[in-house]
């Protein structure tokens, strides 16, 4: 069983060495001793030190570049050490929950909410990402149930944010290990934003909690009709209902509902244009749209009346449908429905045997995709383009770990690929992009084993 060491002194995460540095273990020990002399951050939270792989490990394939034995590191005398079994989940480490939530609200003073919210998350060791904007709040957080509930209660203590729409997801033992600090396997290019990165939360200020690009669309004023997951099948099975997937192409590629229309968008802000083109709407003639008594007809570009269908739309958690349905209502659509709680709620509540869902659902965290019951799916992430890839995709000659996949290979220049390879080498060698001196103004020179003082050198920031 893998073990990790929790130390009170500052730490660096180290991974498998490249063949260029045959004495990296000795260098790592020297650097750790140097840093241990003067603590840079007297935080009461435990810190972790992960070991270097031995020389015999160098030839093994890279499966988990940040997780390997602690036996290769000699710990300096005087350090407080606590050994934790990474497979255990004892009383010291209660089980975790992941909660995605959002709320549209009139929130002009959102910026003042950032610091107290971030401070509380850090105090409770709740990780994840939260967006604050004048139109409300949107986030996904991970922590113990008690901690997460305290954060959600604090958010809803502001009466404008009461009634958060929430979806809870289970957490795998691996994710719990990451959160509690047993291991640190955040992948290259995604570690900073992964909700499960332990002891790390981002609270960002933005113009919108979900980018649509049209400030006139206000879900607080009007929104489509919510449909419970148990009633969704009947609605989308009706041939008179047009089912629209509001997500992007790379999300739809790995899973969707039966009969769903793919708008072929690369970003949510492209959705309004697709609606205008799909239903031959002209922005300059919006005010001249003709309608019947029930308002279900419109004027098309050729002057003929065109019937607007009943629309049922869905997205991952429901937030994009709030804006999309509001937009359609502003365009004259009268029957606009959307799946309450999104795909995630549907997969949680509807048994697989009754489901009309096909494939897996892409999620914006390190799980990459989920299946029925919200269990982690089979897809991985290409860290060159952040798109989901299947096991079959990884058999392609265009697949290169941390660099490219069949979906981005042709769009990347050789220069971009070389930069990605350099970044990946840094990560495989040091466990951090930019090298272990990243963020330090005066990195300490470290002597490699067998070298004299004249040959001591700094750890490189690029490899």
């Amino acid at each position: 069983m893998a073990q990790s060491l929790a130390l009170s002194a500052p730490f660096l995460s180290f991974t498998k060495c490249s063949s260029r540095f045959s004495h990296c273990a000795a260098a790592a020990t020297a650097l750790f001793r140097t840093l241990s002399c003067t603590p840079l951050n007297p935080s009461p939270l435990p810190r972790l030190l992960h070991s270097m792989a031995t020389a015999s490990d160098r030839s093994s394939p890279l499966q988990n570049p940040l997780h390997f034995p602690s036996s290769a590191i000699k710990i300096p005398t005087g350090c407080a050490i606590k050994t934790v079994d990474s497979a255990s989940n004892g009383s010291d480490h209660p089980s975790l929950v992941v909660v995605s939530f959002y709320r549209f609200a009139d929130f002009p003073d959102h910026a003042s909410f950032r610091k107290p919210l971030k401070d509380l998350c850090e105090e409770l060791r709740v990780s994840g990402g939260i967006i604050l904007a004048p139109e409300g709040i949107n986030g996904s957080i991970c922590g113990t149930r008690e901690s997460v509930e305290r954060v959600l209660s604090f958010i809803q203590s502001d009466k404008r944010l009461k009634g958060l729409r929430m979806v809870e997801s289970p957490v795998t033992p691996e994710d719990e290990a990451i959160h509690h600090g047993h291991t640190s396997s955040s992948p290259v290019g995604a570690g900073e934003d992964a909700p499960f990165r332990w002891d790390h939360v981002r609270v960002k200020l933005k113009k919108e909690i979900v980018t649509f690009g049209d400030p006139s669309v206000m879900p607080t004023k009007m929104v489509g009709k919510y449909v419970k997951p148990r009633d969704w099948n009947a609605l989308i099975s009706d041939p008179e209902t047009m089912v629209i997937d509001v997500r992007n192409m790379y999300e739809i590629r790995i899973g969707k509902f039966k009969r769903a229309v793919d708008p072929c968008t690369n970003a949510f802000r492209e959705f309004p244009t697709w609606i205008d083109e799909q239903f031959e709407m002209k922005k300059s003639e919006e005010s001249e749209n003709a309608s019947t008594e029930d308002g279900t007809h419109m004027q098309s570009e050729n002057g003929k009346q065109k019937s607007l269908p009943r629309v049922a739309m869905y997205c991952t958690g429901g937030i994009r449908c709030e804006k999309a349905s509001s937009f359609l209502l502003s365009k004259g659509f009268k029957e606009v429905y959307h799946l309450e709680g999104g795909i995630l709620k549907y997969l949680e509540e509807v048994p697989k045997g009754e489901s009309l869902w096909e494939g897996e659902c892409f999620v914006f965290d390190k799980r990459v995709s989920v299946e029925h019951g919200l269990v982690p799916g089979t897809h991985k992430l290409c860290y060159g383009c952040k798109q989901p890839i299947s096991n079959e995709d990884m058999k392609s000659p265009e697949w290169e770990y941390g660099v490219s996949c069949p979906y981005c290979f042709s769009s990347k220049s050789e220069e971009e690929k070389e930069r990605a390879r350099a970044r990946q080498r840094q990560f495989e060698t040091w466990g951090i992009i930019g090298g272990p001196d990243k963020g330090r103004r005066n990195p300490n020179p470290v002597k490699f084993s067998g070298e004299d003082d004249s040959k001591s050198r700094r750890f490189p920031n690029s490899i």
Side-chain angles (χ1 to χ4, degrees):
M1 285 186 285
Q3 292 184 332
S4 60
L5 304 176
L7 291 86
S8 58
F11 76 98
L12 292 174
S13 295
F14 293 95
T15 62
K16 292 185 178 181
C17 297
S18 67
S19 59
R20 290 182 56 185
F21 298 100
S22 59
H23 302 292
C24 273
T29 304
L31 179 59
F32 179 80
R33 286 173 173 165
T34 303
L35 295 177
S36 298
C37 296
T38 309
L40 300 176
N41 179 14
S43 170
L45 296 176
R47 299 297 186 185
L48 306 175
L49 177 68
H50 287 279
S51 60
M52 308 293 293
T54 60
S56 61
D57 289 327
R58 292 172 190 156
S59 60
S60 61
L62 178 65
Q63 298 295 330
N64 188 345
L66 290 180
H67 194 193
F68 46 128
S70 57
S71 58
I73 291 289
K74 294 182 179 180
I75 305 301
T77 305
C79 289
I81 302 175
K82 180 181 180 182
T83 303
V84 184
D85 186 344
S86 65
S88 68
N89 184 21
S91 59
D92 289 342
H93 300 299
S95 60
L96 307 176
V97 294
V98 175
V99 176
S100 299
F101 59 91
Y102 72 89
R103 173 74 175 173
F104 283 98
D106 186 13
F107 201 28
D109 55 338
H110 62 286
S112 63
F113 202 64
R114 180 182 182 274
K115 188 178 187 307
L117 178 56
K118 182 175 175 63
D119 289 347
L120 179 62
C121 289
E122 290 178 343
E123 176 188 341
L124 300 175
R125 294 187 70 189
V126 169
S127 61
I130 301 172
I131 295 173
L132 298 171
E135 65 178 10
I137 188 170
N138 178 22
S140 180
I141 56 177
C142 174
T144 63
R145 182 171 296 279
E146 180 184 0
S147 297
V148 168
E149 287 178 352
R150 284 183 60 184
V151 171
L152 295 174
S153 294
F154 173 76
I155 292 172
Q156 296 184 97
S157 65
D158 188 309
K159 62 182 181 181
R160 295 168 296 183
L161 302 179
K162 271 189 178 295
L164 290 174
R165 293 195 174 275
M166 296 178 281
V167 176
E168 182 180 317
S169 302
V171 179
T172 65
E174 178 192 7
D175 293 329
E176 291 194 359
I178 294 171
H179 181 92
H180 289 307
H182 299 169
T183 182
S184 177
S185 59
S186 297
V188 59
E192 291 296 314
D193 296 314
F196 300 120
R197 182 183 173 191
W198 76 286
D199 192 28
H200 183 84
V201 66
R202 283 187 172 183
V203 183
K204 297 182 178 181
L205 302 179
K206 292 192 174 182
K207 294 180 180 179
E208 300 176 84
I209 58 175
V210 57
T211 304
F212 193 68
D214 186 348
S216 67
V217 175
M218 303 177 66
T220 54
K221 302 299 182 183
M222 60 179 175
V223 73
K225 298 175 183 177
Y226 298 102
V227 180
K228 297 288 185 182
R230 64 176 177 270
D231 301 322
W232 181 248
N233 286 359
L235 176 63
I236 66 173
S237 297
D238 187 335
E240 298 297 317
T241 301
M242 181 178 186
V243 186
I244 302 178
D245 194 322
V246 182
R247 302 173 303 155
N248 299 317
M249 283 192 295
Y250 65 89
E251 299 172 77
I252 299 173
R253 173 166 51 79
I254 70 170
K256 65 183 185 67
F257 280 106
K258 292 180 180 178
R259 298 187 58 248
V261 175
D262 179 1
C264 298
T265 58
N266 292 306
F268 186 41
R269 65 174 64 88
E270 297 175 8
F271 184 76
T273 302
W274 179 80
I275 289 292
D276 287 340
E277 293 174 351
Q278 179 74 17
F279 298 98
E280 300 178 344
M281 294 179 172
K282 293 182 68 175
K283 292 183 179 180
S284 61
E285 296 177 2
E286 285 177 5
S287 61
E288 299 175 11
N289 286 347
S291 62
T292 62
E293 291 182 359
D294 63 358
T296 58
H297 290 75
M298 57 163 284
Q299 190 79 14
S300 65
E301 288 184 354
N302 57 17
K304 296 181 180 180
Q305 284 192 335
K306 182 178 180 180
S307 178
L308 291 174
R310 176 198 304 131
V311 171
M313 57 177 59
Y314 66 90
C315 58
T316 308
I319 187 170
R320 282 178 279 189
C321 286
E322 299 260 6
K323 280 199 169 182
S325 65
S326 182
F327 175 74
L328 260 61
L329 289 171
S330 72
K331 286 287 188 178
F333 287 77
K334 295 301 179 183
E335 288 189 90
V336 181
Y337 301 86
H338 52 107
L339 178 58
E340 185 172 9
I343 304 165
L344 296 180
K345 201 68 177 174
Y346 182 92
L347 295 180
E348 177 187 357
E349 295 186 359
V350 177
K352 187 174 182 179
E354 303 174 13
S355 175
L356 295 181
W357 175 260
E358 302 172 326
E360 298 179 2
C361 176
F362 179 82
V363 289
F364 295 89
D365 56 54
K366 69 175 292 296
R367 293 173 296 174
V368 184
S369 65
V370 295
E371 301 178 352
H372 284 86
L374 300 183
V375 298
T378 60
H379 285 78
K380 304 297 187 294
L381 200 67
C382 169
Y383 300 117
C385 64
K386 306 300 190 296
Q387 291 197 40
I389 49 174
S390 65
N391 292 329
E392 201 63 32
D393 292 329
M394 288 188 279
K395 296 177 183 178
S396 167
E398 296 176 335
W399 157 253
E400 183 177 351
Y401 184 80
V403 178
S404 64
C405 72
Y407 304 104
C408 66
F409 181 86
S410 60
S411 64
K412 287 183 176 292
S413 67
E414 280 305 314
E415 183 181 356
E416 289 174 315
K417 292 172 187 172
E418 279 304 316
R419 284 200 301 268
R421 292 183 185 107
R423 184 177 66 238
Q424 181 63 22
R425 287 195 295 269
Q426 291 170 1
F427 191 78
E428 291 176 16
T429 304
W430 307 114
I432 185 172
I433 298 172
D437 287 328
K438 180 181 179 181
R440 301 188 64 215
R441 292 183 178 179
N442 297 305
N444 293 312
V446 176
K447 274 197 307 183
F448 288 85
S449 178
E451 290 184 335
D452 55 33
D453 291 336
S454 63
K455 293 184 178 181
S456 65
R457 45 188 151 163
R458 303 182 194 281
F459 281 106
N461 282 332
S462 61
I463 298 172

